[in-house]
Amino acid sequence: MTFNYPSSVSLVEVGARDGLQNEKAEVSTEQKVTLISLLAASGLKRIEAGSFVSAKWVPQMADSADVFARLAAFEPASGAQVTYSALTPNVKGLEAALSAGVSEVAIFGSASESFSQKNINCSIDESLRRFEPVVKLAHSNRIRVRGYVSCTLGCPYEGDIASSDVARVSRQLSEMGCYEVVISDTIGTGTPVKTARVLDAVMQHVPVNQLAVHFHDTYGQALANIHTALQLGVSSIDSAIAGLGGCPYAKGASGNVATEDVLYMLDGMGIKTGIDLSALLEASLYISDVIGRLPQSKVAIALRGG
């Protein structure tokens, strides 16, 4: 196997959405905006800032329209262009996102039939059909769409998932018009060998420059899995500040891989990101204080002296 490390990597910060929506602590709109502002100040240029879903099911994201309204007036001191994206599972959600001025959205499917039913109450094929009008409307408004594939390295209900199933869903999202397909280890059971196997299968159908990875760190494998993805040429990585998050439909899943830990590894490998670790740690310590716990990040704990 030929290793093909990228010279630079684009980190997609998901802590303010995928992270906070799974935290029990209440975080105000003002605190969310402060967090996102600190993240942007560190050099992050892609930040998932909210989710336009039913407040009944995800009450933590009920204020997403207000968050985006406040972000519209914020400009990072660096002057860099930052993309603030949102999750939009259906046309209603997309219409709300458009009204809020969102410039990029994401949809989410699954490689597991059982998880699809538990998560969005429909089959995989039904979910993909539901996404077609969402993508079409987004494109008609010149909005880019990112597509998540959940449970690619394991499912809480089915166990192992066939790489061919992951490849099929990934190909369909790409063909539908998603500019980037995110291979997601929703419950954090993946290992480097599994990661390589799944990515190899997906790359037969989707070019590597259209792929991203999203790992949870349940068994401490996230950085090793990311390293495997880097070896295969993947240059877009999701992560969450302070290791925020989990998954409400995946019992036992811990938080996302911490952005600080990913950045420390990338810096040590000489891979460019444009992000300042010291500034990033300010965001990590801020949100950790807000939610009342230590950051789930080895780097933050080590540098804090804990």
Side-chain angles (χ1 to χ4, degrees):
M1 185 177 293
T2 301
F3 296 157
N4 186 30
Y5 290 113
S7 59
S8 63
V9 157
S10 176
L11 286 184
V12 181
E13 173 58 50
V14 300
R17 195 282 299 175
D18 189 40
L20 291 182
Q21 78 173 23
N22 293 305
E23 295 289 341
K24 293 180 181 179
E26 199 168 304
V27 182
S28 70
T29 301
E30 189 63 39
Q31 289 168 329
K32 290 177 183 177
V33 173
T34 298
L35 169 63
I36 295 167
S37 300
L38 288 170
L39 292 168
S42 76
L44 281 157
K45 297 180 178 64
R46 301 170 71 189
I47 302 173
E48 204 173 60
S51 178
F52 290 88
V53 296
S54 169
K56 175 183 176 182
W57 298 111
V58 190
Q60 300 93 328
M61 293 291 109
D63 62 345
S64 287
D66 291 336
V67 169
F68 277 94
R70 298 194 191 193
L71 289 174
F74 172 74
E75 291 185 14
S78 64
Q81 183 69 39
V82 179
T83 296
Y84 301 110
S85 62
L87 196 68
T88 56
N90 50 42
V91 170
K92 182 178 179 181
L94 176 58
E95 289 173 341
L98 291 172
S99 296
V102 175
S103 58
E104 182 177 307
V105 299
I107 56 178
F108 56 95
S110 176
S112 160
E113 285 289 353
S114 300
F115 191 82
S116 184
Q117 291 287 353
K118 292 281 187 179
N119 197 11
I120 52 179
N121 301 309
C122 67
S123 70
I124 293 173
D125 288 340
E126 286 175 312
S127 72
L128 293 170
R129 285 195 293 272
R130 290 181 186 181
F131 293 145
E132 288 176 356
V134 178
V135 176
K136 184 176 181 180
L137 179 59
H139 286 173
S140 69
N141 283 274
R142 297 182 180 181
I143 300 294
R144 298 206 303 171
V145 183
R146 217 171 171 242
Y148 285 99
V149 187
S150 301
C151 293
T152 62
L153 293 166
C155 169
Y157 311 106
E158 297 181 17
D160 289 341
I161 298 297
S163 297
S164 58
D165 290 339
V166 180
R168 178 179 70 86
V169 176
S170 300
R171 174 179 57 78
Q172 289 179 276
L173 286 172
S174 178
E175 291 176 347
M176 194 183 297
C178 293
Y179 82 93
E180 191 167 76
V181 177
V182 190
I183 305 304
S184 308
D185 185 11
T186 309
I187 59 174
T189 56
T191 61
V193 171
K194 282 185 179 180
T195 298
R197 185 182 303 129
V198 167
L199 286 174
D200 183 62
V202 173
M203 286 163 57
Q204 306 304 311
H205 304 276
V206 182
V208 68
N209 62 358
Q210 292 179 20
L211 292 178
V213 290
H214 178 117
F215 292 106
H216 287 244
D217 205 28
T218 311
Y219 293 93
Q221 299 294 296
L223 286 179
N225 294 337
I226 289 172
H227 183 261
T228 295
L230 290 169
Q231 288 178 322
L232 297 174
V234 175
S235 61
S236 182
I237 299 170
D238 285 14
S239 59
I241 193 71
L244 295 173
C247 181
Y249 299 95
K251 185 178 180 180
S254 68
N256 294 282
V257 65
T259 307
E260 309 94 291
D261 292 348
V262 178
L263 180 60
Y264 183 85
M265 183 178 77
L266 293 173
D267 283 351
M269 296 174 70
I271 296 175
K272 298 177 182 177
T273 62
I275 302 166
D276 179 75
L277 181 58
S278 296
L280 190 65
L281 286 169
E282 289 185 34
S284 177
L285 296 178
Y286 170 77
I287 194 58
S288 296
D289 287 341
V290 167
I291 65 176
R293 68 162 169 80
L294 290 173
Q296 305 300 298
S297 158
K298 300 294 190 296
V299 170
I301 292 171
L303 295 181
R304 196 178 198 180

